[in-house]
Every structure is written in C-alpha cells, then in structure tokens.
Amino acid sequence: HYVSAMSLISYQPQSKMLNSRMDQLMLSWSRLLDLASRVGEKPAAARVEMFARLCLNTALQNTDDHLKNFGFLRQEASRLQYEVAPVFDVSPQGAQRHYLHCADLGQTYSLKDVLSRGRALGVAKGAVDEIEDRLVGVLRNRAHYF
C-alpha cells in the first residue's frame, strides 16, 4: 500500500557528491513534483503538496531530504493511483546543503529562493502564497509542533 519515491524513480546516483548532470535531474525536487503529479489522482494538488514539503524542509533545514523520505499511499479505489503520504522523518539539521537539487539552485537554497521558483516548478502563484502563509504560521508555533 506504500511505495517510496526512490522505488518509483528507481535511480542509482552516478557520483557520491550527486553532481553529475543525470544526478541533478533525477535527484531533484522537480523530479519529485513531477512524480507526485503523475501518480496522483489529483495531479495539481499532489504537486502543490510536494512543493509545500519542499518549503517545509527548506525552512526547517531538514537536509535529509532524500527520496526514501517521501512516499505515496495507494488509493483504495485504484491500484494505479496514489496520494502523497503524510510527512515523516523530519529532523532539522542546521545545515544548508540539501540532498535533493532544487531548480537552478543546486543543493543549497533558502526558503526565499524556493518560494521565488514556485511558478518554474509548476505551482500556481496563489498556491505558493498560501503555502508561504501557512508555513509562517507553523514556524511561529514550532515549539508546539516539536
């Protein structure tokens, strides 16, 4: 009933530093957002949800954002459609270098950088603004969540 993003992408890195061109394409948030929209029953909503995860991971400096830490749950009504699984394994690292590449930013990016690339990642401006507002509210109350 569960499948990781790593299983669906099924890719082995070409370099330890993940700096080959293929690594940059395959081990990226762009790829993860595309995957979510391809397997989801509601493609646009899945893309927005995965973009929200990108923003959350960036804001919390959760740099352990590899493809085994994202997954999908099979929809009961369909064997071929999945929804984005709930968030798990979020651990603020206090580091800047993420595992996954983000757009033209490579592996080092800020929340401001990510939000400015929402449209380029296929997320509507209204959705980007809503995610930013929601995230600011969560960050204000982070002690409650942690």
Side-chain angles (χ1 to χ4, degrees), residues 62-141:
N62 178 36
T63 56
D64 189 31
D65 54 353
H66 57 79
L67 296 175
K68 291 180 186 174
N69 283 343
F70 300 96
F72 302 89
L73 298 172
R74 190 178 79 202
Q75 296 291 304
E76 287 191 36
S78 170
R79 292 188 171 272
L80 299 175
Q81 291 184 316
Y82 292 79
E83 65 182 6
V84 177
V87 172
F88 64 92
D89 199 10
V90 175
S91 178
Q93 310 288 316
Q96 296 297 319
R97 187 174 187 267
H98 290 262
Y99 186 84
L100 294 177
H101 291 262
C102 181
D104 60 335
L105 301 168
Q107 292 171 283
T108 304
Y109 37 88
S110 69
L111 180 58
K112 182 179 177 182
D113 294 332
V114 168
L115 290 167
S116 72
R117 281 149 176 102
R119 293 291 301 134
L121 291 168
V123 179
K125 178 162 178 15
V128 171
D129 293 342
E130 183 180 315
I131 289 167
E132 182 178 15
D133 291 345
R134 192 171 36 148
L135 187 56
V136 166
V138 168
L139 293 175
R140 275 193 200 120
N141 297 303

Side-chain angles (χ1 to χ4, degrees), residues 39-60:
V39 301
E41 181 181 16
K42 299 176 183 173
R47 181 175 286 274
V48 168
E49 178 60 31
M50 203 54 77
F51 181 76
R53 305 283 173 92
L54 163 58
C55 293
L56 178 66
N57 277 298
T58 304
L60 295 177

